[in-house]
Amino acid sequence: GGLSVPWGQQRMAWWLPLSTSCPPTPQAAFAHLALAFRCDMFTLRQRVQVEKRARDAAEENIQEELGQCRAALERLGPSCADAGFKEALEQLQHSLAVLAAAVERATSAAEKLGAVHQEARMSRAAEVMVQHVENLKRHRMREHAELEEMKRLIQQNSRNRQLAETQGE
């Protein structure tokens, strides 16, 4: 079967199961993750550049708007004769400085939130991979035990045959 996630959303939802009708086996989930990682790695550099440009443009736009507000307030300053008006103007300038600092904090918090979201996705992916490796280990141990049992039976059968041949002579 195909992927249950539309092509355009695969990168964002690579941790989702392959099908909603039944839970995927660890092997299927692992194969899906491996494919998603390969697809993500193929486009990662380009996506990082696009997102960085978008972030930089948004930050520049915010700084430009803040700068225009500061300039407008500066232009109003000399025309203020009233003390109350000057006080209100100073309060606006202070509020603008507080707003600029809040924008910086919001940007930082958004980047941290994005990192935590990515960590959560990677944690789920690592969990699937660990489960797959544990299944492979159990399978290997089972195969090894069967192999050892077969060796023991072959050796026992060989001894029995040799014993029968020596007794038959």
Side-chain angles (χ1 to χ4, degrees):
L3 298 174
S4 64
V5 179
W7 172 251
Q9 296 174 2
Q10 284 178 0
R11 184 183 56 76
M12 295 183 299
W14 53 264
W15 63 90
L16 294 175
L18 296 173
S19 168
T20 56
S21 61
C22 62
T25 64
Q27 293 82 3
F30 182 85
H32 183 68
L33 282 172
L35 176 62
F37 277 125
R38 276 187 240 118
C39 290
D40 276 0
M41 292 308 295
F42 183 71
T43 63
L44 183 60
R45 183 176 296 134
Q46 179 185 12
R47 288 182 289 116
V48 166
Q49 289 173 351
V50 166
E51 294 302 323
K52 187 176 186 311
R53 280 194 302 268
R55 185 206 58 204
D56 291 349
E59 286 179 355
E60 286 173 16
N61 289 341
I62 290 169
Q63 291 304 321
E64 176 68 25
E65 291 297 325
L66 290 171
Q68 288 179 11
C69 287
R70 282 186 202 101
L73 291 175
E74 290 295 323
R75 283 191 306 271
L76 284 175
S79 63
C80 295
D82 183 28
F85 190 70
K86 280 191 181 232
E87 187 178 319
L89 189 61
E90 288 173 5
Q91 182 60 41
L92 282 173
Q93 288 173 329
H94 175 74
S95 294
L96 195 57
V98 169
L99 179 62
V103 166
E104 291 292 325
R105 287 191 305 275
T107 299
S108 176
E111 287 181 3
K112 288 176 187 173
L113 178 61
V116 169
H117 281 294
Q118 180 63 17
E119 183 180 339
R121 286 190 295 272
M122 294 304 296
S123 177
R124 173 66 183 123
E127 181 182 317
V128 168
M129 291 179 187
V130 166
Q131 183 181 10
H132 180 61
V133 168
E134 288 173 356
N135 286 347
L136 290 174
K137 285 179 181 178
R138 281 193 297 276
H139 181 71
R140 183 190 171 282
M141 289 174 60
R142 208 171 24 250
E143 293 285 328
H144 182 72
E146 288 177 14
L147 178 64
E148 291 300 318
E149 179 63 18
M150 291 300 269
K151 283 181 183 178
R152 189 187 64 75
L153 289 174
I154 290 170
Q155 288 174 350
Q156 184 180 357
N157 193 13
S158 177
R159 282 189 219 116
N160 288 345
R161 197 175 288 142
Q162 287 174 351
L163 184 59
E165 288 174 0
T166 56
Q167 288 177 351
E169 291 178 3

